[in-house]
């Protein structure tokens, strides 16, 4: 088994501020993801990474940067926080082997509030 | 373009009954995977069940099963003998095509299930 941890659990920032969210996984998965979930809505992909130092943009990448310096960690930076992006940010990873290769595992989320 | 649609925003059922949640999808890929995930009130998201497009048999895991109707591009989730703890938001998702190491999941907007005692 394994676990995905996200820090912080709650993040409060000022409009225009640069904010960083962190994600760690100990599954030894190659592929990691960042999603944004707005209240009452589905998940939308911001960035994903198929290996260390790889970055792929999702549909919602504008206004965000990502970093994958280690296989176990994936960071997301909100480059200039805006009030309309208050949401829960979810990190996920997936295995690349065996019969479960298509399943994603999710972290508990970081709730972002912009004042 | 790939798309996943869940038209039921919320459903309420009595405990121990059977519920079906609808999901339709759009894809140009001949091979694809369909998933259902559950998000609890705490925000935790867990994988429930998967259907591979090339399989004719409906997937079943515990008291979850799928109603896969490929000609209708439909993948319904059926929960039998519902329990209070099944109350959650259920998301349908589809694997988008691409190289094996660089694929994405497209999510529907979710269905809130409330199971009443």
């Amino acid at each position: 088994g394994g676990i995905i941890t996200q820090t912080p659990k709650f993040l409060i920032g000022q409009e225009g501020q640069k904010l960083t969210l962190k994600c760690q996984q100990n599954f030894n998965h190659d592929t990691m993801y960042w999603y944004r979930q707005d209240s009452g809505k589905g998940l939308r992909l911001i960035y994903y990474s198929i290996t260390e130092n790889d970055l792929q943009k999702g549909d919602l990448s504008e206004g965000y940067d990502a970093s994958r310096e280690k296989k176990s960690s994936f960071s997301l930076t909100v480059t200039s926080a805006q009030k309309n992006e208050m949401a829960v940010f979810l990190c996920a990873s997936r295995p690349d082997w065996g019969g479960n290769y298509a399943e994603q595992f999710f972290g508990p989320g970081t709730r972002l509030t912009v004042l | 373009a790939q798309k996943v649609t869940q038209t039921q925003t919320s459903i309420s059922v009595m405990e121990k009954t059977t519920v079906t949640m609808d999901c339709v999808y759009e894809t140009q890929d001949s091979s694809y995977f369909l998933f259902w995930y559950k998000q609890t009130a705490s925000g935790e998201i867990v994988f429930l069940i998967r259907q591979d497009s090339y399989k004719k048999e409906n997937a079943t895991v515990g008291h979850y099963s799928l109603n896969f109707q490929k000609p209708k591009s439909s993948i319904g989730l059926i929960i039998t003998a519902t329990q209070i703890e099944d109350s959650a938001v259920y998301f349908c998702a589809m694997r988008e095509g691409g190289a094996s190491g660089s694929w994405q999941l497209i999510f529907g907007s979710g269905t809130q299930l409330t199971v009443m005692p």
Side-chain angles (χ1 to χ4, degrees), chain B residues 18-60:
Chain B
T18 295
V19 63
T20 299
M21 282 175 269
D22 300 329
C23 175
V24 292
Y25 58 90
E26 296 173 26
T27 181
Q28 302 300 317
D29 290 348
S30 58
S31 176
Y32 49 90
F33 298 90
L34 301 160
F35 306 83
W36 281 89
Y37 285 83
K38 172 184 177 181
Q39 186 173 36
T40 62
S42 67
E44 181 187 17
I45 297 178
V46 294
F47 164 74
L48 294 177
I49 191 168
R50 179 182 108 197
Q51 180 77 39
D52 300 346
S53 64
Y54 61 88
K55 290 188 177 177
K56 293 184 178 177
E57 268 187 29
N58 289 321
T60 298

Side-chain angles (χ1 to χ4, degrees), chain A residues 37 45 50 94 99 101-102 104, chain B residues 33 37 39 100-101 103-104:
Chain A
Q37 185 179 27
L45 183 66
I50 62 173
R94 76 164 179 100
Y101 75 95
Q104 289 187 10
Chain B
F33 298 90
Y37 285 83
Q39 186 173 36
S100 62
W103 56 272
Q104 304 176 39

Side-chain angles (χ1 to χ4, degrees), chain A residues 75-105:
Chain A
S75 298
L76 180 73
T77 298
V78 181
T79 55
S80 176
Q82 304 297 317
K83 289 191 177 180
N84 63 2
E85 65 190 332
M86 291 198 292
V88 175
F89 291 80
L90 292 153
C91 177
S93 70
R94 76 164 179 100
D96 301 307
W97 62 86
N100 288 327
Y101 75 95
E103 172 189 340
Q104 289 187 10
F105 296 82

